[in-house]
């Protein structure tokens, strides 16, 4: 009997920049799965219909990237807890013909942090999030679920940080952008969730005298791999966590749902992505 070829994809507008096919293509090859994973450009107007018709179009599911994540959130039939916390969906699969939308950024970030800097939990110190957009909500949800007592949010636009604090409750404290050093004072983890530092754009005003000894500094930006924030943190003697690991780990749950194997984030996969990033 011939095997049915399972098809998944990533949708976005534009979609050319997506590195997801590199990740899923690697796993399909590694596990010898008869499946495909392609990029499909879908306009915001066409996205709800595309998502409702996934199964009719012969797809087992898809990833969703900018600017379609909020549209996908509205279009799916059911949403997981992280998608509800973030208000955005980046992974869709089918369950009994119904579309289920997940946000795997929380899982991706927390898994990578746990694996590359397990000591982050040792000291019960505040976690500082720079930014208050969708990525910040995904990361805030992860730390709050992990039981962190204080998550500080510092954002250029104060109102968005206030909104995040309203959503997540009293463990979230808001700091003005002009009080950056107060936000980072005594911090055990600092995470940049903004695009600052991407391709060398902008620098974050962190005073490296303020974090606690042993502070872990993470960035969700992965182009370049070593952002100015991570360079500064290393020079000051702090441990760092790059953004590439989050990208790799956030892909795991979708692949497992679509193709039935929980894939491994290997050194070889990471090396392929690093080569691609360094070639840009
Ligand atoms: P995402 O969903 O990827 O997190 P977003 O919702 O557009 O994207 O959020 C982007 C975040 O980066 C915001 O916190 C934004 O700050 P504002 O709320 O003030 O817009 C932040 N950001 C982007 N560019 C920035 C810059 N040049 N300086 C400071 N913050 C910046």
């Amino acid at each position: 009997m011939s095997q049915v070829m399972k098809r998944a994809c990533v949708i976005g507008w534009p979609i050319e920049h997506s590195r997801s096919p590199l990740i899923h293509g690697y796993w399909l090859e590694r596990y010898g799965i008869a499946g495909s994973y392609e990029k499909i450009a879908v306009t915001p107007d066409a996205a709800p219909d595309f998502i409702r018709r996934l199964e009719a179009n012969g797809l087992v599911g898809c990833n969703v990237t900018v600017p379609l994540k909020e549209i996908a959130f509205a279009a799916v039939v059911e949403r997981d807890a992280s998608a509800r916390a973030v208000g955005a969906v980046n992974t869709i699969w089918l369950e009994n013909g119904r579309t289920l939308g997940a946000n795997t950024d929380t899982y991706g970030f927390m898994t990578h942090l746990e694996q590359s800097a397990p000591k982050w939990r040792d000291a019960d110190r505040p976690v500082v999030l720079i930014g208050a957009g969708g990525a910040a909500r995904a990361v805030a949800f992860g730390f709050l679920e992990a039981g962190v007592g204080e998550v500080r949010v510092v954002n250029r636009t104060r109102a968005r940080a206030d909104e995040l604090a309203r959503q997540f409750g009293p463990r979230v404290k808001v700091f003005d952008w002009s009080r950056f050093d107060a936000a980072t004072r005594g911090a055990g983890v600092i995470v940049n969730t903004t695009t600052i530092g991407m391709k060398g754009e902008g620098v974050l005003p962190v005073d490296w005298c303020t974090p606690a000894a042993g502070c872990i500094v993470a960035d969700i930006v992965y182009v370049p791999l070593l952002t100015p924030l991570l360079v500064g943190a290393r020079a000051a003697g702090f441990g760092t966590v790059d953004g590439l690991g989050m990208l790799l780990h956030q892909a795991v749950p979708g692949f497992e749902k679509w193709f039935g194997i929980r894939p491994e984030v290997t050194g070889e996969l990471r090396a392929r992505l690093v080569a691609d990033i360094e070639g840009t």
Side-chain angles (χ1 to χ4, degrees):
M1 205 174 79
S2 70
Q3 253 185 310
V4 179
M5 169 108 160
K6 288 183 175 172
R7 286 177 59 220
C9 67
V10 54
I11 61 170
W13 185 258
I15 195 58
E16 265 328 297
H17 65 279
S18 174
R19 289 187 168 88
S20 291
L22 267 179
I23 303 172
H24 293 284
Y26 167 83
W27 285 329
L28 286 170
E29 192 186 307
R30 179 179 162 94
Y31 298 107
I33 293 170
S36 70
Y37 185 97
E38 59 202 286
K39 292 182 207 180
I40 302 181
V42 176
T43 64
D45 283 351
D49 224 42
F50 184 94
I51 290 164
R52 283 186 213 111
R53 295 183 48 78
L54 274 179
E55 196 170 27
N57 289 327
L59 290 154
V60 291
C62 66
N63 281 129
V64 182
T65 187
V66 281
L68 308 179
K69 294 184 193 183
E70 288 79 13
I71 296 170
F73 178 83
V76 292
V77 176
E78 283 179 50
R79 298 146 191 97
D80 77 352
S82 182
R84 292 197 300 273
V86 180
V89 155
N90 71 351
T91 307
I92 302 174
W93 61 84
L94 293 156
E95 271 180 26
N96 304 320
R98 294 150 69 85
T99 47
L100 199 140
N103 191 305
T104 63
D105 282 341
T106 303
Y107 167 84
F109 179 82
M110 295 307 290
T111 305
H112 179 48
L113 176 67
E114 204 69 65
Q115 288 189 2
S116 48
K119 285 186 183 303
W120 78 268
R121 282 174 188 272
D122 286 2
D124 190 14
R125 296 191 189 281
V127 169
V128 177
L129 302 187
I130 304 164
R137 285 197 295 280
V139 173
F141 183 62
F143 281 117
L144 293 170
E145 289 276 285
V148 165
E150 184 177 342
V151 174
R152 298 174 177 170
V153 178
V154 55
N155 192 53
R156 178 180 59 183
T157 308
R158 164 97 193 200
R160 289 187 87 193
D162 288 336
E163 180 56 38
L164 196 153
R166 250 195 310 279
Q167 178 188 346
F168 287 106
R171 280 190 287 158
V172 176
K173 308 268 186 278
V174 175
F175 285 73
D176 267 345
W177 193 254
S178 60
R179 295 191 59 226
F180 224 94
D181 57 338
T184 52
R185 191 165 309 282
V189 183
I190 298 174
V191 187
N192 174 41
T193 73
T194 74
T195 49
I196 298 171
M198 194 183 284
K199 292 169 183 159
E201 282 166 34
V203 178
L204 288 158
V206 178
D207 173 352
W208 292 113
C209 296
T210 56
C215 179
I216 304 293
V217 181
D219 209 322
I220 67 158
V221 170
Y222 56 87
V223 182
L225 215 47
L226 214 50
T227 60
L229 178 73
L230 299 184
V231 171
R234 281 193 185 180
F238 295 110
T240 60
V241 174
D242 67 37
L244 179 57
M246 176 186 182
L247 176 75
L248 298 174
H249 284 283
Q250 64 77 33
V252 168
F255 188 93
E256 183 180 24
K257 291 287 183 188
W258 305 324
F259 300 113
I261 287 176
R262 190 163 187 85
E264 202 187 336
V265 174
T266 61
E268 187 187 17
L269 172 60
R270 192 183 152 87
R272 282 199 192 184
L273 270 289
V274 169
D276 186 69
I277 290 164
E278 286 174 350
T280 56

